[in-house]
Amino acid sequence: MTCTCQQCKALLLPMDMSIDRLPEISFDLYEVDKCKIKDIRGRNFFFHEIRKNHTSIIIFSRNFIEQETKDYIEDFAKISPSYLKDNDVKIILIASAYHTNLASFCQETKFVHEVYTDASLAIHRKAHLFSQIVDGGSKAQINPHLKHSSFIRFLLSTKRASERSTKGHGSLFQQGGQAVINSDGKVLYFHRDRNNTDQTPINFLLSASGLNKSFDHFKDHQTKTNIFHDLRRRNIKNFEFV
């Protein structure tokens, strides 16, 4: 479809550009910076302490029970921390689970980047992440990181729930999101997940952080999906998020 609304015109989008959604309105980073989070050992940090001096790719994850979360976080494990460090970029996972469950989830997904938890959901609220599903996941086919059909994901999630207590593994309702924040404290990109399959493609987050390299782990599957019609695929340098 062609979007002709005034908001699209204000963003200077091409009139023939098919889009899935508009850019998110960003959050108040000053308020988020004052929030406390815990690391894997239970130590407290302010948000601004973990993101300073680097361009940070922030992943606000949903609960650890759902297969969709596992699929998405597993793909971040394929990115070398040393490559990111050489470019002053780092990946930070912020979960809503108890800090005592972080180590086992990182081991399961082979996640080797920084991980913290916002079990009180203070940052989630300050960033205005959705506290429940906004739509039913009709766009799930555009997510290049999902490795199974919706039915198989349901079965795997059920199996995961049966093998552990759901308590302490994160909110079953709270939605996640992704952000890219540079070392000067500017939010370069922000996305609020509307459901458990609505995550931003990882290669796009890397591009938003200023990295030119795309990882082939995701590229082949991406070309087979419809994500090119999603505004998140556009060059974010053309947009100013406020």
Side-chain angles (χ1 to χ4, degrees):
M1 71 179 191
T2 300
C3 185
T4 59
C5 71
Q6 292 302 314
Q7 191 170 5
C8 284
K9 291 179 180 179
L11 289 169
L12 303 178
L13 295 178
M15 295 300 292
D16 59 350
M17 176 69 183
S18 296
I19 63 173
D20 176 61
R21 62 193 298 169
L22 293 171
E24 302 281 0
I25 302 302
S26 189
F27 53 86
D28 186 339
L29 184 58
Y30 176 75
E31 291 297 321
V32 170
D33 273 344
K34 295 187 292 184
C35 293
K36 288 184 178 181
I37 53 180
K38 289 182 182 294
D39 70 359
I40 203 166
R41 298 180 181 176
R43 298 174 298 184
N44 288 309
F45 295 88
F46 288 105
F47 182 76
H48 72 84
E49 293 179 293
I50 68 168
R51 67 162 185 81
K52 63 182 180 181
N53 302 325
H54 292 79
T55 294
S56 299
I57 299 174
I58 311 292
I59 316 150
F60 297 98
S61 78
R62 279 172 54 83
N63 62 79
F64 290 165
I65 300 296
E66 292 178 331
Q67 183 66 31
E68 290 84 357
T69 300
K70 180 176 181 289
D71 283 351
Y72 190 50
I73 300 305
E74 276 181 335
D75 278 355
F76 281 99
K78 299 172 183 176
I79 302 170
S80 167
S82 60
Y83 166 72
L84 298 176
K85 184 177 180 180
D86 290 342
N87 290 276
D88 293 322
V89 175
K90 63 180 179 179
I91 293 171
I92 300 172
L93 170 63
I94 298 181
S96 61
Y98 292 171
H99 77 273
T100 52
N101 290 320
L102 295 179
S104 58
F105 184 73
C106 289
Q107 183 178 9
E108 180 184 19
T109 58
K110 298 180 174 58
F111 188 80
V112 292
H113 306 282
E114 293 186 30
V115 58
Y116 301 88
T117 181
D118 174 36
S120 68
L121 300 180
I123 293 181
H124 288 71
R125 287 192 291 268
K126 292 291 186 182
H128 305 292
L129 298 176
F130 295 117
S131 59
Q132 59 186 0
I133 290 176
V134 177
D135 66 38
S138 59
K139 299 293 183 179
Q141 73 277 6
I142 70 173
N143 189 326
H145 304 288
L146 299 180
K147 304 171 180 67
H148 311 279
S149 68
S150 58
F151 178 68
I152 296 299
R153 293 198 309 272
F154 169 76
L155 293 179
L156 290 172
S157 297
T158 302
K159 180 176 182 293
R160 290 170 63 78
S162 69
E163 293 173 342
R164 68 204 77 191
S165 170
T166 56
K167 184 178 180 180
H169 284 86
S171 170
L172 297 176
F173 303 100
Q174 177 66 53
Q175 305 302 302
Q178 300 80 44
V180 179
I181 307 171
N182 70 10
S183 57
D184 295 325
K186 182 178 180 180
V187 180
L188 302 177
Y189 175 77
F190 182 49
H191 166 73
R192 295 177 175 90
D193 295 347
R194 294 176 293 183
N195 55 66
N196 61 351
T197 65
D198 189 36
Q199 300 94 344
T200 305
I202 293 175
N203 273 340
F204 185 82
L205 293 173
L206 297 174
S207 176
S209 69
L211 298 176
N212 295 321
K213 180 179 179 180
S214 292
F215 284 80
D216 293 334
H217 310 298
F218 324 127
K219 189 183 300 182
D220 291 342
H221 185 61
Q222 281 181 318
T223 59
K224 297 174 184 177
T225 66
N226 198 31
I227 59 176
F228 297 103
H229 295 295
D230 192 322
L231 186 58
R232 293 172 295 179
R233 289 288 300 174
R234 293 184 55 78
N235 183 350
I236 66 162
K237 293 180 181 179
N238 293 335
F239 301 102
E240 190 75 19
F241 294 85
V242 295

